[in-house]
Amino acid sequence: MPTQKDQTNYSYIPCILLIVCWLTAPGSVSAQQSWPELSESSWASMSTSDLLVHLEANDVRAQDEFGYTALMHAADFTSDATVIALLIKLGSVINQTDNEGFTALMWAAANNKNPDVTRALIISGADITYQDSQGRTAMDWASESGAPDEVISILKNSHQSTPAPSHNRHNKEKQFRYASQTDMDAPPPPKRTPVGPQHGAPGTETDSPTTETTTETTTEISAFSGDFAKVEEIIFELVNHYRSEEGVPPILIDANLAAVARDHSRDMVVRNFFSHQNPDNLSANQRINETLGDTYYINSSGENILYTGIQSDYENEPEILARQIMRQWMNSPGHRSNILSPYGFIGIGLYPGDNVVYATQKFMSYMVRLDGQKAGDTLVKNSPYVHFIISPTVPDLSNVVVSVKLPDSSARCRSASGGFYTGVCFPTPQWSDEEKFSILLPVEEFGTGQYSLSIGTAGGTNTFIRSIYFQVE
């Protein structure tokens, strides 16, 4: 079982995260440090800037004699979620196992028990359903080791609402309150050109809440809207500024997500509440899935909210209000963690109250979204195609895999190797360009009925738990 790594028994800990102040002058690093010299306190105390130097100078995928990687040690020892993001950015394999069959998420759940680290691993694609040789999952290890309720809740909610691959406060001050919550034989696919942040820098989206209708999620809506559009845009830029300082990849703006954020800010003003849960008892996770879940294949989401007094002429000096909001979020550990976590997309929405402004940041990672269709649609048997647009954060299109559960769970579908799958097929994505692909449901062979699709981006037959359904008639 994963147990706390003892510095004497587990002596081959990678040195890339070594705190060097006790070996060299502060601010300097030694490229010759060896993995065995890392201690638990080193992981906890090393500055992010020094850490980045060590990370970039070493192979983060290397395993020691026990099969441990840098990511496993970070999952065990660090309390800084940005360390996880740095390791993923530099090529760490999120679901790699050690010699005993334990993953980084299991080490985090059993020993570290830090909610931010657990959340960061799941956002990065950690497999919450993977079982070790004894049949235990990360949830089992967390429960058996007495992990805090917040860690248990994160793992539980991920199983229910924001699954990982299947192999896969209400603080009150005079004029400021905030809260945070985190509720992944056809021609080869085209090569993808790396995508950078839109609008030039870090981003946040705004949303204009309404109590009468749900937000319309069309591609024509603006990511920045209303009287606070410029403030929202500057908040977006500041988010990516802070992420860049911490070595976290830039986040992209999503106009539909901004609409969800804006809607919640307006709803809090109109119905006079301040919470992630609205008067209809919908949580942050439920609200985003209700609004975008039939189009986006969401694998993780989070939310920051705030209200603060308006102390500047925001129309002529929008940067003052934007910095005021971001300063207060970044000074709060929970909100800072959301801002610096490896989400792929953000939406920011501001809405005015009486001499105050309400602000919502929505965070999301998704793999694909439906193109011109919605989950639950009925397809005709003569043209049973499901059309997708791949997320720009997915780097390797060749690893995109789609599993299709058949109407008859006992039906056998032939595999590429000549064997059979029972009740499921893995059709080859048909790419039209580097952004769009289609899946032809095997209706001709297996008939009409309900087909459910799951998506993965790790190759093989690894897909996320979540399914989207289509009826073929």
Side-chain angles (χ1 to χ4, degrees):
M1 64 174 283
T3 55
Q4 188 66 44
K5 299 186 184 72
D6 180 85
Q7 186 61 27
T8 302
N9 295 331
Y10 300 91
S11 60
Y12 288 87
I13 301 178
C15 80
I16 56 172
L17 302 183
L18 178 65
I19 185 75
V20 298
C21 61
W22 56 279
L23 293 172
T24 59
S28 64
V29 293
S30 170
Q32 304 304 316
Q33 301 301 334
S34 57
W35 294 104
E37 294 174 277
L38 255 182
S39 65
E40 177 180 351
S41 61
S42 298
W43 289 84
S45 60
M46 188 173 191
S47 70
T48 304
S49 58
D50 283 348
L51 170 63
L52 181 58
V53 173
H54 284 286
L55 285 172
E56 292 179 336
N58 290 270
D59 181 5
V60 298
R61 294 166 295 184
Q63 293 179 278
D64 62 21
E65 65 176 284
F66 301 103
Y68 302 145
T69 64
L71 184 63
M72 293 175 194
H73 288 298
D76 194 358
F77 293 134
T78 188
S79 60
D80 187 352
T82 60
V83 173
I84 305 298
L86 287 171
L87 285 164
I88 296 300
K89 178 183 178 183
L90 291 173
S92 290
V93 180
I94 185 69
N95 291 313
Q96 190 165 356
T97 58
D98 61 23
N99 293 352
E100 300 297 322
F102 302 132
T103 65
L105 184 60
M106 289 179 176
W107 282 107
N111 287 344
N112 194 330
K113 306 172 187 176
N114 181 289
D116 292 337
V117 170
T118 302
R119 183 181 297 119
L121 286 165
I122 292 174
I123 292 171
S124 299
D127 184 350
I128 57 176
T129 65
Y130 176 81
Q131 297 179 357
D132 62 22
S133 59
Q134 303 173 47
R136 291 184 175 91
T137 64
M139 171 70 85
D140 295 326
W141 284 118
S143 299
E144 291 179 18
S145 63
D149 290 343
E150 187 175 358
V151 170
I152 300 292
S153 177
I154 290 169
L155 290 165
K156 181 179 179 180
N157 290 337
S158 296
H159 271 286
Q160 294 177 343
S161 305
T162 58
S166 64
H167 161 26
N168 346 355
R169 270 173 267 175
H170 208 130
N171 274 343
K172 232 179 180 182
E173 298 177 9
K174 285 186 178 179
Q175 285 189 307
F176 173 54
R177 295 193 296 174
Y178 56 85
S180 67
Q181 178 173 324
T182 302
D183 293 290
M184 47 123 247
D185 295 333
K191 293 183 178 180
R192 160 147 280 172
T193 302
V195 178
Q198 301 172 19
H199 298 284
T204 308
E205 301 176 298
T206 59
D207 185 12
S208 313
T210 176
T211 57
E212 299 178 357
T213 60
T214 57
T215 303
E216 181 180 358
T217 56
T218 65
T219 56
E220 289 77 19
I221 63 177
S222 173
F224 309 114
S225 178
D227 294 341
F228 293 93
K230 189 60 181 178
V231 180
E232 296 167 357
E233 186 171 3
I234 295 172
I235 291 176
F236 173 70
E237 294 169 355
L238 289 170
V239 168
N240 272 339
H241 168 74
Y242 287 120
R243 289 169 72 94
S244 176
E245 284 190 335
E246 298 296 331
V248 182
I251 199 167
L252 305 178
I253 197 74
D254 185 275
N256 292 318
L257 191 59
V260 178
R262 190 174 304 117
D263 189 63
H264 189 59
S265 291
R266 186 170 63 192
D267 195 25
M268 288 190 290
V269 172
V270 172
R271 294 202 276 181
N272 192 30
F273 72 98
F274 181 77
S275 175
H276 294 291
Q277 183 165 307
N278 68 15
D280 301 321
N281 292 321
L282 293 178
S283 68
N285 195 51
Q286 289 171 324
R287 283 187 280 104
I288 191 173
N289 281 319
E290 181 179 81
T291 308
L292 302 180
D294 60 356
T295 303
Y296 288 73
Y297 193 83
I298 301 170
N299 50 297
S300 60
S301 66
E303 180 177 271
N304 287 342
I305 59 176
L306 165 153
Y307 82 69
T308 186
I310 300 176
Q311 301 172 1
S312 66
D313 179 1
Y314 63 85
E315 292 182 343
N316 296 315
E317 298 177 320
E319 186 170 349
I320 294 178
L321 180 56
R323 289 186 178 277
Q324 175 185 337
I325 291 171
M326 280 300 295
R327 180 171 59 252
Q328 297 184 90
W329 267 330
M330 289 299 291
N331 285 338
S332 164
H335 304 83
R336 176 188 173 90
S337 176
N338 271 345
I339 290 168
L340 299 181
S341 289
Y343 290 109
F345 299 88
I346 188 172
I348 301 166
L350 275 63
Y351 199 80
D354 292 334
N355 297 316
V356 298
V357 61
Y358 284 71
T360 301
Q361 285 181 324
K362 296 293 295 185
F363 303 90
M364 172 178 72
S365 289
Y366 74 90
M367 288 183 288
V368 297
R369 58 187 174 92
L370 289 165
D371 186 11
Q373 298 170 308
K374 291 186 176 182
D377 281 355
T378 298
L379 309 179
V380 296
K381 65 179 181 179
N382 294 332
S383 184
Y385 284 92
V386 181
H387 305 289
F388 295 98
I389 299 175
I390 195 75
S391 167
T393 61
V394 175
D396 190 348
L397 304 187
S398 65
N399 282 333
V400 173
V401 58
V402 180
S403 69
V404 177
K405 290 185 179 179
L406 306 173
D408 180 359
S409 60
S410 64
R412 297 207 306 168
C413 181
R414 186 174 294 276
S415 70
S417 63
F420 291 91
Y421 296 108
T422 300
V424 64
C425 287
F426 291 87
T428 302
Q430 301 177 18
W431 294 90
S432 58
D433 56 35
E434 66 173 24
E435 293 183 347
K436 298 182 178 182
F437 70 93
S438 300
I439 293 294
L440 175 61
L441 301 180
V443 175
E444 185 174 337
E445 182 175 359
F446 298 102
T448 58
Q450 181 175 276
Y451 288 79
S452 62
L453 291 76
S454 297
I455 319 296
T457 57
T461 58
N462 303 325
T463 61
F464 276 50
I465 299 170
R466 182 190 170 200
S467 296
I468 51 177
Y469 300 89
F470 290 90
Q471 186 71 25
V472 180
E473 297 178 351

